[in-house]
């Protein structure tokens, strides 16, 4: 009985030990499971040597280089329109027709306008001729006035000149008759001699008295003659100056009269300036005649307008009953012109878009795929966009439509390239997370380590870097959670 009790105790102890180990195993498993959930799970990749690819796609459309603008005479009412936008038409197809009643009315109006221009031109020509006749008459009269003024003033000048010369001659003749002082002295000497010859007859005293009387009489006579001559000369000189002044006044009056008459001749001889009114009316008439001819040609076609080109309608701005303007009624893509691609691309996508770059062109309509299409022009447009043009020299293009121009540009080969998702940025710059194996008390563990790198270039998918990494490095490209340096990790994909 005692032995049975011991067996029971041993079983219980054994079961307790087994239960303990089972619990410990369960806890270990639970701990492992919990640890697996707590440790970040990562996918890794080594760095690679590669060229970075830059695929570029430019959306646009294929059209023709040349477009044709279809015009119609202004202010005509549209009768019917037989095309619409995006229609492909052949040469000779009917575009539209104009209302014949409205067309006939416009033709009559133009004919009346032309007749009105003829009348206005005739009135302007007549008015001009009348002005010419008046100007000629004024010129004749001015010439006659000049001749009359010349004759009259010349006679006055001649008369004044004769009077002046006459006064001058009188003055000169009077100057020649000036009394001479020597003649009177001689007479005195003769009287003295007479006295001396008669000294025997008269006494000396009587002779002296007589001598003094004779001298006084001679002085008086001499003084009276000189004063009279001087007074006469002053009168003649005054008369000469007056005649001279009258002559000079006559000359000045003649010159002024002839100058005024000459100016009248000059003014009358300038002619009549013919203004441009008549010429403008003539130009207006010619313009109306050209328009009338166009409307008559349109009437001969019963108001129908046909296409002279093969192409596609880009714009059609008219409808039944609308009135035409100076703007084009139809813009036509001319298929006789070479085809080209035209698209737009943003500034950030233009580093490799250059003239001469070979591309692939995919035209949606007809599933046309062309290789070797070269970019012919890159021009800056509006809103920071660039217009890219490429000529399409291929017989396989027979219609226009939306298209995509694409090409891939490659960088130089870099020895260390990683997925862009493996590149991180911190306060000190760029870095990658490399997974390294570390021995711990629990055994070998995978530890995350931050490795600084320098970014050289990236294409949006891969990045070329420089740093302490190699082709054997395990670089984290994705992780289940944020990884800090020194964290344990578990690789789930390599």
């Amino acid at each position: 009985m005692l032995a049975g009790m011991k067996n029971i105790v041993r079983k219980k102890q054994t079961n307790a030990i087994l239960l303990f180990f089972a619990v410990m195993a369960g806890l270990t498993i639970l701990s492992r499971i919990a640890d697996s959930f707590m440790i970040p799970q990562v996918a890794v990749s080594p760095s690679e040597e590669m060229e970075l690819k830059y695929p570029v796609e430019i959306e646009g459309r294929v059209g023709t280089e040349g477009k044709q603008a279809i015009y119609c005479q202004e202010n005509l009412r549209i009768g019917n329109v037989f095309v619409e936008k995006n229609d492909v038409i052949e040469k000779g197809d009917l575009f539209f027709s104009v209302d014949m009643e409205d067309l006939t009315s416009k033709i009559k109006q133009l004919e009346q306008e032309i007749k009105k221009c003829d009348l206005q031109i005739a009135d302007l020509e007549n008015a001009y001729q009348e002005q010419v006749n008046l100007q000629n008459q004024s010129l004749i009269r001015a010439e006659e006035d000049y001749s009359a003024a010349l004759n009259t003033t010349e006679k006055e000048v001649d008369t004044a000149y004769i009077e002046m010369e006459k006064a001058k001659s009188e003055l000169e003749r009077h100057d020649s008759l000036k009394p001479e002082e020597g003649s009177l002295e001689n007479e005195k000497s003769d009287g003295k001699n007479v006295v001396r010859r008669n000294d025997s007859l008269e006494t000396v005293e009587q002779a002296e008295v007589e001598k003094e009387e004779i001298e006084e009489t001679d002085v008086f006579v001499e003084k009276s003659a000189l004063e009279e001559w001087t007074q006469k000369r002053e009168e003649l000189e005054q008369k000469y100056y007056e005649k001279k002044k009258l002559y000079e006044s006559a000359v000045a009056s003649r010159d002024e009269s002839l100058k005024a008459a000459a100016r009248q001749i000059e003014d009358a001889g300038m002619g009549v300036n013919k203004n441009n009114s008549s010429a403008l009316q003539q130009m207006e008439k010619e313009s109306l005649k050209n328009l009338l001819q166009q409307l008559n040609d349109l009437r001969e076609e019963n108001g129908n307008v046909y296409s002279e080109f093969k192409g596609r309608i880009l714009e059609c701005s008219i409808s039944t009953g609308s009135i035409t303007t100076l703007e084009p009624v139809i813009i036509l893509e001319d298929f006789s012109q070479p085809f080209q691609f035209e698209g737009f691309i943003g500034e950030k996508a233009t580093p490799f878009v250059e003239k001469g770059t070979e591309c692939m062109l995919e035209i949606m309509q007809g599933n046309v795929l062309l290789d070797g299409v070269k970019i012919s022009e890159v021009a800056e447009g509006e809103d920071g966009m660039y217009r890219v043009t490429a000529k399409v020299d291929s017989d396989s293009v027979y219609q226009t439509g939306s298209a995509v121009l694409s090409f891939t540009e490659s960088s130089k080969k870099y020895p260390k390239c990683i997925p862009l998702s493996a590149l991180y940025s911190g306060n000190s710059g760029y870095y990658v997370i490399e997974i390294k194996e570390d021995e711990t008390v629990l055994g070998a563990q995978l530890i995350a380590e931050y490795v600084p790198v320098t970014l050289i270039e990236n294409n949006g998918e891969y990045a070329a870097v420089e740093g302490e990494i190699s082709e054997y490095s395990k670089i984290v490209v994705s992780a289940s959670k944020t990884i800090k340096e020194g964290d344990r990790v578990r690789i789930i994909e390599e």
Side-chain angles (χ1 to χ4, degrees):
M1 185 145 180
L2 183 60
M5 291 296 291
K6 288 182 179 180
N7 288 333
I8 292 171
V9 172
R10 284 195 193 97
K11 284 183 179 181
K12 288 182 179 181
Q13 291 176 346
T14 302
N15 290 336
I17 292 172
L18 291 175
L19 180 60
F20 172 77
F21 282 113
V23 171
M24 291 299 295
L27 292 174
T28 302
I29 293 172
L30 290 175
S31 176
R32 292 285 185 178
I33 293 174
D35 186 60
S36 66
F37 281 108
M38 295 294 293
I39 295 176
Q41 302 178 27
V42 298
V44 296
S45 173
S47 65
E48 301 179 57
E49 182 181 12
M50 66 169 63
E51 297 175 350
L52 299 182
K53 303 296 183 181
Y54 293 90
V56 180
E57 289 189 352
I58 306 171
E59 295 183 357
R61 66 181 310 277
V62 171
T64 58
E65 292 184 9
K67 297 178 178 61
Q68 298 293 339
I70 310 301
Y71 293 89
C72 184
Q73 288 75 19
E74 187 182 7
N75 292 326
L76 290 179
R77 181 179 293 109
I78 300 298
N80 291 290
V81 181
F82 301 96
V83 295
E84 59 183 16
K85 187 176 181 179
N86 294 323
D87 282 354
V88 177
I89 53 99
E90 298 290 334
K91 184 176 181 179
D93 285 352
L94 179 60
F95 278 139
F96 60 91
S97 63
V98 300
D99 186 275
M100 287 299 297
E101 182 178 350
D102 182 64
L103 178 61
T104 303
S105 175
K106 292 295 190 300
I107 290 175
K108 290 181 179 180
Q109 290 178 9
L110 281 176
E111 291 173 345
Q112 292 176 355
E113 290 293 330
I114 292 174
K115 290 181 181 179
K116 186 185 296 183
C117 283
D118 288 335
L119 294 175
Q120 291 175 343
I121 291 172
D123 290 342
L124 290 171
E125 292 295 335
N126 291 334
Y128 173 73
Q129 192 59 46
E130 289 179 2
Q131 290 182 351
V132 170
N133 294 336
L134 289 174
Q135 189 73 15
N136 291 334
Q137 186 177 2
S138 298
L139 179 60
I140 294 172
R141 290 178 177 177
E143 291 174 347
E144 292 175 350
D145 293 342
Y146 183 86
S147 298
L150 179 62
N151 293 333
T152 301
T153 55
E154 282 293 338
K155 289 179 181 180
E156 293 176 353
V157 170
D158 291 343
T159 301
Y161 180 77
I162 292 172
E163 292 293 330
M164 181 186 70
E165 289 297 317
K166 183 179 177 181
K168 182 179 179 182
S169 298
E170 291 178 355
L171 179 61
E172 291 175 348
R173 184 169 57 252
H174 182 72
D175 287 341
S176 65
L177 298 176
K178 182 178 180 180
E180 297 182 358
E181 296 179 358
S183 61
L184 295 176
E185 291 293 331
N186 291 332
E187 291 178 0
K188 293 177 184 179
S189 299
D190 291 342
K192 186 186 294 184
N193 292 333
V194 171
V195 172
R196 286 177 180 175
R197 282 195 301 268
N198 294 329
D199 284 343
S200 58
L201 300 177
E202 297 176 351
T203 62
V204 177
E205 292 83 2
Q206 185 179 357
E208 288 295 330
V209 170
E210 290 177 357
K211 179 180 177 182
E212 291 176 0
E213 291 177 355
I214 291 171
E215 287 178 353
E216 289 177 359
T217 302
D218 290 340
V219 170
F220 177 76
V221 171
E222 182 181 359
K223 183 176 181 180
S224 297
L226 183 59
E227 288 178 353
E228 182 180 355
W229 179 87
T230 301
Q231 182 179 358
K232 181 66 175 178
R233 189 185 187 285
E234 291 177 352
E235 293 175 357
L236 292 175
E237 187 177 28
Q238 179 67 26
K239 181 180 179 181
Y240 168 70
Y241 285 139
E242 290 176 355
K243 297 298 182 181
K244 184 179 180 182
K245 186 178 294 185
L246 290 174
Y247 170 72
E248 292 175 349
S249 177
V251 171
S253 178
R254 179 197 64 183
D255 293 343
E256 187 66 27
S257 298
L258 293 181
K259 182 178 180 181
R263 284 180 176 176
Q264 290 181 354
I265 293 175
E266 184 180 355
D267 293 341
M270 290 180 65
V272 179
N273 291 328
K274 190 174 184 179
N275 59 34
N276 297 323
S277 299
S278 178
L280 292 174
Q281 286 294 329
Q282 191 66 39
M283 293 171 61
E284 179 67 17
K285 176 184 174 182
E286 292 300 320
S287 178
L288 293 174
K289 287 175 65 176
N290 292 335
L291 182 56
L292 179 62
Q293 182 62 46
Q294 295 174 10
L295 294 184
N296 283 328
D297 293 342
L298 186 58
R299 182 167 59 178
E300 291 180 1
E301 295 290 341
N302 293 321
N304 294 327
V305 178
Y306 299 92
S307 174
E308 299 179 0
F309 312 94
K310 177 183 178 181
R312 186 175 68 88
I313 304 296
L314 294 178
E315 295 181 17
C316 181
S317 61
I318 55 174
S319 59
T320 299
S322 63
I323 303 298
T324 58
T325 65
L326 294 175
E327 297 298 323
V329 294
I330 291 175
I331 302 296
L332 180 70
E333 199 166 34
D334 186 3
F335 285 179
S336 63
Q337 300 291 326
F339 285 83
Q340 69 176 10
F341 168 85
E342 184 176 277
F344 290 87
I345 189 171
E347 183 178 4
K348 293 182 179 180
T350 59
F352 304 106
V353 181
E354 298 178 349
K355 182 178 179 180
T357 302
E358 291 192 359
C359 310
M360 180 174 293
L361 179 65
E362 182 180 2
I363 306 175
M364 305 310 175
Q365 285 79 4
N367 295 323
V368 179
L369 191 62
L370 301 177
D371 199 5
V373 177
K374 293 184 178 181
I375 294 177
S376 58
E377 184 182 7
V378 180
E380 186 175 0
E382 298 178 355
D383 301 328
M385 302 296 288
Y386 284 79
R387 182 172 60 88
V388 180
T389 305
K391 295 185 181 298
V392 183
D393 300 324
S394 175
D395 295 334
S396 61
V397 178
Y398 57 90
Q399 64 179 359
T400 61
S402 57
V404 176
L405 188 71
S406 61
F407 66 92
T408 299
E409 191 72 22
S410 298
S411 69
K412 70 176 185 179
K413 184 173 289 188
Y414 292 105
K416 299 176 182 180
C417 295
I418 60 174
L420 192 60
S421 61
L423 184 66
Y424 297 90
S425 176
N427 294 331
S428 58
Y430 291 101
Y431 65 92
V432 297
I433 301 176
E434 183 179 357
I435 304 302
K436 293 185 177 181
E437 196 172 284
D438 189 18
E439 291 294 335
T440 67
V441 293
L442 299 176
Q445 300 287 332
L446 298 177
I447 305 299
E449 181 179 334
Y450 287 4
V451 179
V453 295
T454 300
L455 175 64
I456 302 174
E457 184 179 342
N458 82 87
N459 64 353
E461 184 178 1
Y462 285 90
V465 297
E466 289 182 349
E468 298 297 327
I469 58 175
S470 67
E471 57 182 324
Y472 304 106
S473 299
K474 296 180 179 181
I475 308 299
V476 174
V477 296
S478 64
S480 61
K481 60 194 319 184
T482 302
I483 302 175
K484 296 181 181 180
E485 188 169 18
D487 285 354
R488 290 185 299 114
V489 298
R490 185 163 64 91
I491 297 175
I492 59 172
E493 183 180 351
E494 185 174 354

